[in-house]
Coordinates of all heavy atoms in Angstrom, one line a residue:
R210 N 0.8 -1.2 0.0 CA 0.0 0.0 0.0 C 0.9 1.3 0.0 O 0.6 2.2 -0.7 CB -0.9 0.0 1.2 CG -1.8 1.2 1.3 CD -2.4 1.3 2.7 NE -1.4 1.4 3.7 CZ -1.6 1.2 5.0 NH1 -2.7 0.8 5.5 NH2 -0.6 1.4 5.9
D211 N 1.9 1.3 0.8 CA 2.8 2.4 0.9 C 3.5 2.7 -0.5 O 3.7 3.8 -0.9 CB 3.9 2.3 1.9 CG 3.3 2.3 3.3 OD1 2.1 2.8 3.5 OD2 4.0 2.0 4.3
L212 N 3.8 1.6 -1.2 CA 4.5 1.7 -2.5 C 3.5 2.3 -3.5 O 3.8 3.1 -4.3 CB 5.0 0.4 -2.9 CG 5.6 0.3 -4.3 CD1 6.8 1.3 -4.4 CD2 6.1 -1.1 -4.7
R213 N 2.2 1.8 -3.5 CA 1.2 2.3 -4.4 C 0.9 3.8 -4.2 O 0.7 4.5 -5.1 CB -0.1 1.5 -4.2 CG 0.0 0.1 -4.7 CD -1.3 -0.6 -4.5 NE -2.4 -0.1 -5.4 CZ -3.6 -0.6 -5.5 NH1 -4.0 -1.6 -4.7 NH2 -4.4 0.0 -6.3
E214 N 1.0 4.2 -2.9 CA 0.7 5.6 -2.6 C 1.9 6.4 -2.6 O 1.8 7.6 -2.3 CB 0.0 5.6 -1.2 CG -1.3 4.9 -1.1 CD -1.9 4.9 0.3 OE1 -1.2 5.3 1.2 OE2 -3.0 4.4 0.5
R215 N 3.1 5.8 -2.9 CA 4.3 6.6 -2.9 C 4.6 7.3 -1.6 O 5.1 8.4 -1.6 CB 4.4 7.6 -4.1 CG 4.2 6.9 -5.5 CD 4.4 7.9 -6.6 NE 4.3 7.2 -7.9 CZ 4.4 7.8 -9.1 NH1 4.6 9.2 -9.1 NH2 4.3 7.2 -10.2
A216 N 4.3 6.6 -0.5 CA 4.6 7.1 0.8 C 6.1 7.2 1.1 O 6.8 6.4 0.7 CB 3.9 6.2 1.9
P217 N 6.5 8.3 1.7 CA 7.9 8.5 1.9 C 8.5 7.5 2.9 O 9.7 7.3 3.0 CB 8.0 9.9 2.5 CG 6.6 10.2 3.0 CD 5.7 9.5 2.1
S218 N 7.6 6.8 3.7 CA 8.1 5.8 4.6 C 8.4 4.5 4.0 O 9.0 3.6 4.7 CB 7.0 5.6 5.7 OG 5.8 5.1 5.1
F219 N 8.1 4.3 2.7 CA 8.4 3.0 2.0 C 9.9 2.8 1.9 O 10.7 3.7 1.4 CB 7.8 3.0 0.6 CG 8.1 1.7 -0.1 CD1 7.4 0.6 0.1 CD2 9.1 1.7 -1.1 CE1 7.7 -0.6 -0.6 CE2 9.4 0.6 -1.8 CZ 8.7 -0.6 -1.5
R220 N 10.4 1.6 2.3 CA 11.8 1.2 2.1 C 11.8 -0.1 1.4 O 11.2 -1.1 2.0 CB 12.5 1.2 3.5 CG 12.6 2.5 4.2 CD 13.5 3.5 3.5 NE 13.6 4.7 4.3 CZ 12.8 5.7 4.2 NH1 11.8 5.7 3.3 NH2 13.0 6.8 4.9
L221 N 12.4 -0.2 0.3 CA 12.4 -1.4 -0.5 C 13.0 -2.6 0.3 O 12.5 -3.7 0.3 CB 13.2 -1.3 -1.8 CG 13.2 -2.5 -2.7 CD1 11.9 -3.1 -3.0 CD2 14.0 -2.1 -4.0
E222 N 14.2 -2.3 1.0 CA 14.8 -3.4 1.7 C 13.9 -3.9 2.8 O 13.8 -5.2 3.1 CB 16.1 -2.9 2.3 CG 17.0 -4.0 2.9 CD 18.4 -3.6 3.1 OE1 18.9 -2.8 2.2 OE2 19.0 -3.9 4.1
E223 N 13.2 -3.0 3.5 CA 12.3 -3.5 4.6 C 11.1 -4.2 4.0 O 10.7 -5.2 4.5 CB 11.8 -2.2 5.3 CG 10.8 -2.6 6.4 CD 10.2 -1.3 7.1 OE1 10.6 -0.2 6.7 OE2 9.5 -1.5 8.1
A224 N 10.6 -3.8 2.8 CA 9.5 -4.5 2.2 C 9.9 -5.9 1.7 O 9.1 -6.8 1.9 CB 9.0 -3.6 1.0
A225 N 11.1 -6.0 1.2 CA 11.5 -7.3 0.8 C 11.7 -8.2 2.0 O 11.3 -9.4 1.9 CB 12.9 -7.2 0.1
G226 N 12.1 -7.7 3.1 CA 12.2 -8.5 4.3 C 10.9 -9.0 4.8 O 10.7 -10.1 5.3
R227 N 9.9 -8.1 4.7 CA 8.5 -8.5 5.1 C 8.0 -9.6 4.2 O 7.3 -10.6 4.7 CB 7.6 -7.3 5.0 CG 7.9 -6.2 6.1 CD 7.0 -5.0 5.9 NE 7.2 -4.0 6.9 CZ 6.4 -2.9 7.1 NH1 5.4 -2.7 6.2 NH2 6.7 -2.1 8.0
L228 N 8.2 -9.5 2.9 CA 7.8 -10.5 2.0 C 8.5 -11.9 2.3 O 7.9 -12.9 2.2 CB 8.0 -10.1 0.5 CG 7.4 -10.9 -0.6 CD1 5.9 -11.2 -0.4 CD2 7.7 -10.3 -1.9
A229 N 9.8 -11.8 2.6 CA 10.5 -13.0 2.9 C 10.0 -13.6 4.2 O 9.9 -14.9 4.3 CB 12.0 -12.7 3.1
E230 N 9.6 -12.8 5.2 CA 9.0 -13.3 6.4 C 7.7 -14.1 6.1 O 7.4 -15.1 6.7 CB 8.8 -12.2 7.4 CG 7.9 -12.5 8.6 CD 8.6 -13.3 9.7 OE1 9.8 -13.6 9.5 OE2 8.0 -13.5 10.7
L231 N 6.9 -13.5 5.3 CA 5.6 -14.1 4.9 C 5.8 -15.5 4.3 O 5.2 -16.5 4.7 CB 4.8 -13.2 4.0 CG 3.5 -13.8 3.4 CD1 2.5 -14.1 4.4 CD2 3.0 -12.9 2.3
L232 N 6.7 -15.5 3.3 CA 7.0 -16.8 2.6 C 7.6 -17.8 3.5 O 7.3 -19.0 3.5 CB 7.9 -16.5 1.4 CG 7.2 -15.7 0.3 CD1 8.3 -15.4 -0.8 CD2 6.0 -16.5 -0.3
L233 N 8.6 -17.4 4.4 CA 9.3 -18.3 5.3 C 8.3 -18.9 6.3 O 8.3 -20.2 6.5 CB 10.4 -17.6 6.0 CG 11.2 -18.4 7.0 CD1 11.9 -19.5 6.3 CD2 12.2 -17.5 7.7
V234 N 7.5 -18.1 7.0 CA 6.6 -18.6 8.0 C 5.5 -19.4 7.4 O 5.2 -20.5 7.9 CB 6.0 -17.4 8.8 CG1 5.0 -17.9 9.8 CG2 7.1 -16.6 9.5
A235 N 4.9 -19.0 6.3 CA 3.9 -19.8 5.6 C 4.5 -21.1 5.1 O 3.8 -22.2 5.3 CB 3.3 -19.0 4.4
G236 N 5.7 -21.1 4.6 CA 6.3 -22.4 4.2 C 6.5 -23.4 5.3 O 6.2 -24.6 5.2
R237 N 7.0 -22.9 6.5 CA 7.3 -23.8 7.6 C 5.9 -24.3 8.1 O 5.8 -25.5 8.5 CB 8.0 -23.0 8.7 CG 9.4 -22.6 8.3 CD 10.3 -23.9 7.9 NE 10.5 -24.8 9.0 CZ 11.5 -24.8 9.8 NH1 12.5 -23.9 9.6 NH2 11.6 -25.7 10.8
L238 N 4.9 -23.5 8.2 CA 3.6 -23.9 8.7 C 3.0 -24.9 7.7 O 2.4 -25.9 8.2 CB 2.7 -22.8 8.9 CG 3.1 -21.8 10.1 CD1 2.2 -20.6 10.1 CD2 2.9 -22.5 11.4
T239 N 3.1 -24.7 6.5 CA 2.6 -25.6 5.5 C 3.2 -27.0 5.5 O 2.6 -28.0 5.3 CB 2.7 -25.0 4.1 OG1 2.1 -23.7 4.0 CG2 2.1 -25.9 3.0
E240 N 4.5 -27.0 5.9 CA 5.2 -28.2 6.1 C 4.8 -29.0 7.4 O 5.3 -30.1 7.6 CB 6.7 -28.0 6.0 CG 7.2 -27.5 4.7 CD 8.7 -27.0 4.8 OE1 9.2 -27.0 5.9 OE2 9.2 -26.5 3.7
G241 N 4.0 -28.3 8.2 CA 3.6 -29.0 9.4 C 4.3 -28.6 10.7 O 4.1 -29.3 11.7
D242 N 5.2 -27.6 10.6 CA 5.9 -27.3 11.8 C 5.0 -26.4 12.7 O 4.7 -25.3 12.4 CB 7.2 -26.4 11.5 CG 8.1 -26.2 12.7 OD1 7.6 -26.3 13.8 OD2 9.3 -26.0 12.5
A243 N 4.5 -27.0 13.8 CA 3.5 -26.4 14.7 C 4.2 -25.8 15.9 O 3.4 -25.5 16.9 CB 2.5 -27.4 15.1
S244 N 5.5 -25.6 16.0 CA 6.1 -25.0 17.1 C 5.7 -23.6 17.4 O 5.3 -22.9 16.4 CB 7.7 -25.1 17.0 OG 8.1 -24.3 15.9
R245 N 5.8 -23.1 18.6 CA 5.4 -21.8 18.9 C 6.2 -20.7 18.2 O 5.7 -19.6 17.9 CB 5.6 -21.5 20.4 CG 4.9 -20.2 20.9 CD 4.9 -20.1 22.4 NE 6.3 -19.9 22.9 CZ 6.6 -19.5 24.1 NH1 5.6 -19.4 25.0 NH2 7.8 -19.4 24.5
E246 N 7.5 -21.1 17.8 CA 8.3 -20.1 17.0 C 7.6 -19.7 15.8 O 7.7 -18.5 15.4 CB 9.6 -20.8 16.7 CG 10.5 -19.9 15.8 CD 11.8 -20.6 15.4 OE1 12.0 -21.8 15.8 OE2 12.6 -20.0 14.7
W247 N 6.9 -20.6 15.1 CA 6.3 -20.3 13.8 C 4.8 -19.9 13.9 O 4.3 -19.1 13.2 CB 6.4 -21.5 12.8 CG 7.9 -21.8 12.6 CD1 8.6 -22.9 13.1 CD2 8.8 -21.0 11.9 NE1 9.9 -22.8 12.7 CE2 10.1 -21.7 12.0 CE3 8.8 -19.8 11.2 CZ2 11.2 -21.2 11.4 CZ3 9.9 -19.3 10.6 CH2 11.1 -20.0 10.7
R248 N 4.2 -20.5 14.9 CA 2.8 -20.0 15.2 C 2.8 -18.6 15.7 O 1.9 -17.8 15.2 CB 2.2 -20.9 16.3 CG 1.7 -22.3 15.9 CD 1.2 -23.0 17.2 NE 0.8 -24.3 16.9 CZ -0.5 -24.7 16.6 NH1 -1.4 -23.8 16.5 NH2 -0.8 -26.0 16.4
G249 N 3.7 -18.2 16.6 CA 3.7 -16.9 17.2 C 2.9 -16.9 18.4 O 2.1 -17.8 18.7
V250 N 3.0 -15.8 19.2 CA 2.2 -15.6 20.4 C 1.6 -14.2 20.4 O 2.4 -13.2 20.3 CB 3.1 -15.7 21.6 CG1 2.3 -15.4 22.9 CG2 3.7 -17.2 21.7
A251 N 0.3 -14.1 20.4 CA -0.3 -12.7 20.4 C -0.8 -12.3 21.7 O -1.0 -11.2 22.0 CB -1.4 -12.7 19.3
R252 N -1.2 -13.3 22.6 CA -1.7 -12.9 23.9 C -0.6 -13.0 24.9 O 0.1 -14.0 25.1 CB -2.8 -13.9 24.3 CG -3.4 -13.6 25.6 CD -4.6 -14.5 26.0 NE -5.7 -14.2 25.1 CZ -6.8 -15.0 25.1 NH1 -6.9 -16.0 25.9 NH2 -7.8 -14.6 24.3
R253 N -0.4 -11.9 25.6 CA 0.7 -11.9 26.6 C 0.1 -12.2 28.0 O -0.9 -11.6 28.4 CB 1.3 -10.5 26.6 CG 2.4 -10.3 27.6 CD 3.1 -8.9 27.5 NE 3.9 -8.8 26.3 CZ 3.6 -8.2 25.2 NH1 2.5 -7.5 25.2 NH2 4.4 -8.1 24.2

């Protein structure tokens, strides 16, 4: 969204890292790794 809106806060390196995180976590979960590291913790 920031890239589409040409927001000054957009950083390509940060965006690439976010995309890599999405693919990495989704890939590990798809392979069946159910550890808390990949599930994450939202409730403190």
Side-chain angles (χ1 to χ4, degrees):
R210 181 194 61 196
D211 290 346
L212 178 58
R213 291 181 67 178
E214 297 176 355
R215 299 184 178 181
S218 59
F219 176 80
R220 298 291 184 272
L221 178 56
E222 191 165 320
E223 179 183 3
R227 292 177 176 185
L228 189 53
E230 168 77 357
L231 173 65
L232 294 171
L233 177 62
V234 177
R237 294 302 296 266
L238 290 171
T239 303
E240 293 169 1
D242 191 335
S244 63
R245 190 175 69 171
E246 176 185 1
W247 301 108
R248 285 178 182 266
V250 176
R252 178 178 293 173
R253 180 176 286 106

